[in-house]
Amino acid sequence: MSVSRPVRTGLAVALLASAAVACGDAGGLRGAGSTPTATSPARLWPQLTPASSPAWNIDEADTEVVKGVTVPGDDLRKVDPVAIVRAEIAAHPKDYRGPTAIYRDTTARMATCTSKPAAGKATGGKATDRTADLDADADADTTAAGTCPVLQPYYRDLTGDGRVDLTLGFRLLPGDAPDLTAVRVYTVDKHRLLRVMAWEDAVSAVELAGRSVIIRSPSDLADYEYRLQWTWDPEQKAMLLTHDEMLRTHHGQPPGRPSPTTTATAGPSSTADPSPSPSPSVTP
């Protein structure tokens, strides 16, 4: 016969009382010391007039329709990534064309590109709460001197509309810094190819996590790196810079390389873990 709830309660009280008698004061409550006083943020210089405009323009929510490139069936996997880069070069000749253009070597090496670079990789049609590492070194043949600067394209739904978006990178040569890389994100809007994110930096790693793009870059400080995260904003219809921070690396080592057999899985998260961590690989 089962013991009723009141009887079980009485038995438990009796057992606890006997244990207390047998053990003396061992089970008694003890103070953990004083509780630190909560400190609220202290506002400095309240007399200053709040700024009404940013000091620097980082092209937040800056989008651009790519002219001259169509999207058959609104499927970005059918668009030639090399054609997209060539369209950007044509739209910004000051940066890419002429003997004084800062990225003139990128234009010169575009002649070595085939109709498409190495086959693109899908990172899952839906946003995921795990991180997919987009390792630029995976396409070593596209980064060597004299070869195509366009890196392997990656496809994942970053905007939440159920269709894959395109994350694309290409080398900026010669540039002001070694290994300068352009990172772009494209989506389809009203049957047009729309660029919703653009960033150039010295890149250590690029990752996709949820609806975010994460770029890690080296720092002047040993054992530290910069971590910038862009996340899709449905109101602005653009990838916004939502995190900009400096983090310690793993004892001076870059984040662990992903296993070639691990596949990113679907999940609801829209942000990424701010701590550096090994990332599962993506699969074709």
Side-chain angles (χ1 to χ4, degrees):
M1 182 179 67
S2 62
V3 181
S4 66
R5 181 175 179 179
V7 173
R8 288 200 303 268
T9 303
L11 291 174
V13 171
L15 289 172
L16 289 173
S18 62
V21 171
C23 300
D25 295 334
L29 297 177
R30 295 183 178 181
S34 59
T35 302
T37 302
T39 303
S40 61
R43 182 182 178 184
L44 307 185
W45 309 302
Q47 72 277 13
L48 289 179
T49 303
S52 59
S53 60
W56 298 281
N57 180 17
I58 60 171
D59 297 329
E60 290 178 302
D62 183 26
T63 62
E64 182 178 296
V65 174
V66 180
K67 297 180 179 180
V69 179
T70 60
V71 187
D74 290 347
D75 187 353
L76 285 170
R77 288 169 292 199
K78 297 180 180 179
V79 180
D80 183 0
V82 173
I84 295 176
V85 177
R86 285 177 174 153
E88 176 166 331
I89 291 173
H92 304 277
K94 182 179 179 181
D95 294 332
Y96 294 99
R97 290 182 173 170
T100 60
I102 187 171
Y103 305 132
R104 58 191 178 275
D105 286 0
T106 295
T107 304
R109 295 188 189 184
M110 289 298 293
T112 67
C113 298
T114 58
S115 60
K116 288 188 178 182
K121 288 190 176 182
T123 66
K126 296 180 180 179
T128 115
D129 59 351
R130 299 178 68 183
T131 304
D133 180 65
L134 312 188
D135 190 351
D137 292 336
D139 285 341
D141 59 326
T142 67
T143 62
T147 56
C148 179
V150 182
L151 303 176
Q152 186 176 46
Y154 287 83
Y155 302 92
R156 175 184 287 189
D157 180 9
L158 295 173
T159 61
D161 62 0
R163 298 177 301 190
V164 296
D165 302 297
L166 168 62
T167 302
L168 184 61
F170 57 96
R171 300 296 193 187
L172 295 173
L173 307 165
D176 291 331
D179 299 324
L180 199 63
T181 303
V183 179
R184 306 285 189 260
V185 174
Y186 300 90
T187 190
V188 179
D189 179 66
K190 300 177 181 178
H191 312 296
R192 304 171 303 173
L193 181 62
L194 182 67
R195 191 193 70 199
V196 294
M197 177 200 146
W199 190 253
E200 299 85 31
D201 208 340
V203 172
S204 301
V206 183
E207 301 161 334
L208 299 181
R211 307 221 189 277
S212 299
V213 176
I214 300 168
I215 298 178
R216 301 178 186 271
S217 300
S219 164
D220 289 335
L221 299 179
D223 299 345
Y224 282 84
E225 68 177 2
Y226 293 109
R227 179 186 181 278
L228 281 70
Q229 176 176 325
W230 282 262
T231 303
W232 173 253
D233 187 292
E235 293 185 3
Q236 297 295 328
K237 295 187 181 301
M239 303 289 290
L240 300 185
L241 181 60
T242 53
H243 294 77
D244 183 354
E245 54 191 343
M246 177 181 283
L247 300 174
R248 286 190 64 89
T249 60
H250 290 271
H251 305 291
Q253 299 298 321
R257 296 181 65 85
S259 165
T261 59
T262 306
T263 304
T265 58
S269 175
S270 61
T271 58
D273 185 349
S275 62
S277 60
S279 305
S281 71
V282 294
T283 57

